[in-house]
Amino acid sequence: EIADALAQEALRVAQETGDERLTDELCQTVGALSPAVEEALRTAIRMRMAEKRGYDFLRTKRSQGPMTFGEIAYMVLNQTLVRLELQKAA
């Protein structure tokens, strides 16, 4: 598909150049001629970025190994809801 190929190339060039706005500028340029292609391109870019984020997450989790009891306890402790009510003294 045209949009996916263009999205892959745009993300590669953006990473090489460090230009964070490149993909947005490309979408605007393409959108001036075809709003349908612009939307397809934006979707393809989001999908490729989500794919990369997912693989990065899995690589990080794989490299961390299993969690220790202390790590699990820390997570549970930080998810505990505490409710505090203040009342005026009578």
Side-chain angles (χ1 to χ4, degrees), residues 17-79:
T17 62
D19 186 354
E20 296 177 359
R21 296 206 18 88
L22 183 131
T23 55
D24 191 48
E25 291 171 2
L26 176 62
C27 288
Q28 290 175 359
T29 301
V30 170
L33 295 174
S34 173
V37 174
E38 176 187 7
E39 187 56 38
L41 178 58
R42 287 187 187 279
T43 299
I45 289 170
R46 285 191 299 268
M47 288 176 58
R48 290 293 175 177
M49 290 174 73
E51 177 187 34
K52 181 185 180 312
R53 183 179 289 179
Y55 280 117
D56 289 347
F57 173 80
L58 291 174
R59 262 192 303 281
T60 300
K61 286 296 184 181
R62 186 176 294 136
S63 69
Q64 289 176 349
M67 294 179 77
T68 65
F69 178 76
E71 291 170 325
I72 294 170
Y74 180 79
M75 286 176 52
V76 170
L77 177 66
N78 284 322
Q79 293 175 4

